[in-house]
Amino acid sequence: MKILAFETSCDETSCAVVENGRTVLSDVISSQVPIHKKFGGVVPEIASRHHIEDVLPVAEAALDQAGCTWKDMDALAVTQGPGLVGALLVGVAAAKSAAWALEKPLVAVNHMEGHIFANLVQYPDLEPPFLALVVSGGHTMLVQVLGYNHFLLLGQTRDDAAGEAFDKIARVMGYPYPGGPHIDKLAQEGDAEAVAFPHAMGGEHNFDFSFSGLKSAVINYLHTAQMKGEAVSHEDTAASFQKAVTDVLTEKTMAAADKTGMKTIALAGGVAANTGLRKALAEACVERGLRLCRPDPVLCTDNGAMIGCRAYYMAQEGKFAPLTLNADPRLPFSFSR
Ligand code: KG4
Ligand code: ZN
């Protein structure tokens, strides 16, 4: 089964052709990062306009690279949400039009579920059950994946997402959007023990997260130094902040693995590209004899392949969408109760 998948939830226009869920025949990503950089973040209206310009050329490039035509597709898939509504609408309109014209079924995918399925693309032998740590610009959650369409929410952030904290701190330090990769790079040169930032909710017996207190503490630290005219090492600040985030994420993930008995951990979402987090989780998993799945960075950030993979497993269970499908900027994860 060949699926053409559309992903336009934020600032990447991406289309992929995925065969039988795991074989990526093409994954074309047109990033708008350089366009939004000068505004310090994604400007929704500008993102939508660029998706409109890019979506068909990106889809045609994906088909081309896969050596396919539109008629070779067995189904169309699209990110329905969560994301920026105007951005999502472009992908939804494109996928619906193609499904109607080709008379092929349509699958509506949850973006966050797609991030988890990037692991299935990267690791052909990976099968549920496993535990997923999802860390992106908008979400931070621990999900127990019990089946291809069976998810349990163990915990999530009560305020900011991890990626949001990375981006905000980088911005205060004067680095352009998206800030996560800048903090990651600085942290590799810094001393993680230099500043003791709070490890929010680290000690509590639940699987929820909170990063707003940590974010404020780092910003206060930077502002106080600035007011006193003291020089601050960006490298040490980045390393200490990143350690506070990765310590909490690692500790909670290991506690969740202990509680659920899951033997495999899958890392997902844009922040999964973070070097410090990948290393900390790898060490903790080795210590406990757990398997850690970490997709390549290109599969961690937004891409069409993960949407095509997720769609395949939905299609297998007949989970198709009507042509009246609408984008849903707050689409909830389909958790089982
Ligand atoms: O998953 P994603 O591409 O988009 C959302 O669905 O939100 O995640 C984007 C987030 C941004 O906050 C970005 O700064 C962060 O992922 N990110 C990183 C790294 N690469 C991307 N954060 C930390 N370290 C990185 N290397
Ligand atoms: Zn994403």
Side-chain angles (χ1 to χ4, degrees), residues 41-219:
V42 179
V43 184
E45 180 64 12
I46 295 175
S48 313
R49 283 163 195 250
H50 283 280
H51 284 308
I52 291 170
E53 282 174 18
D54 290 353
V55 73
L56 284 179
V58 167
E60 304 228 300
L63 289 168
D64 245 29
Q65 286 183 21
C68 295
T69 67
W70 289 96
K71 291 209 165 88
D72 296 327
M73 296 302 109
D74 299 301
L76 286 305
V78 63
T79 301
Q80 186 193 1
L84 302 169
V85 68
L88 290 164
L89 276 169
V90 178
V92 168
K96 284 203 297 189
S97 309
W100 178 75
L102 299 167
E103 298 182 17
K104 289 289 158 67
L106 177 68
V107 186
V109 173
N110 179 298
H111 181 77
M112 303 316 297
E113 295 174 13
H115 271 303
I116 292 178
F117 278 59
N119 282 278
L120 305 191
V121 174
Q122 182 80 49
Y123 299 92
D125 64 321
L126 176 63
E127 284 178 17
F130 58 86
L131 179 66
L133 172 65
V134 188
V135 271
S136 77
H139 296 79
T140 303
M141 50 187 166
L142 271 167
V143 178
Q144 203 177 351
V145 180
L146 291 171
Y148 288 109
N149 292 295
H150 186 183
F151 313 111
L152 287 182
L153 177 66
L154 296 177
Q156 61 187 330
T157 183
R158 293 182 181 177
D159 40 59
D160 293 353
E164 227 173 319
F166 271 93
D167 292 341
K168 185 71 206 279
I169 286 161
R171 193 156 135 180
V172 172
M173 287 196 208
Y175 298 95
Y177 170 85
H182 293 281
I183 300 278
D184 191 353
K185 219 163 143 209
L186 287 164
Q188 289 172 39
E189 307 294 322
D191 174 7
E193 308 297 334
V195 197
F197 289 125
H199 285 46
M201 323 205 27
E204 290 176 38
H205 297 290
N206 63 65
F207 302 120
D208 283 345
F209 303 95
S210 166
F211 293 110
S212 77
L214 168 63
K215 182 187 76 180
S216 304
V218 179
I219 294 170

Side-chain angles (χ1 to χ4, degrees), residues 262-321:
M262 294 282 117
K263 297 284 176 238
T264 301
I265 312 290
L267 191 51
V271 183
N274 184 265
T275 322
L277 178 61
R278 294 167 81 90
K279 189 161 167 268
L281 276 173
E283 286 168 4
C285 284
V286 166
E287 211 169 276
R288 284 178 164 74
L290 304 176
R291 178 185 185 192
L292 176 65
C293 295
R294 326 172 262 192
D296 292 341
V298 68
L299 281 172
C300 290
T301 45
D302 295 346
N303 66 86
M306 68 186 197
I307 303 302
C309 176
R310 173 72 192 112
Y312 172 78
Y313 289 99
M314 292 176 72
Q316 291 300 94
E317 291 194 9
K319 294 177 183 293
F320 296 106

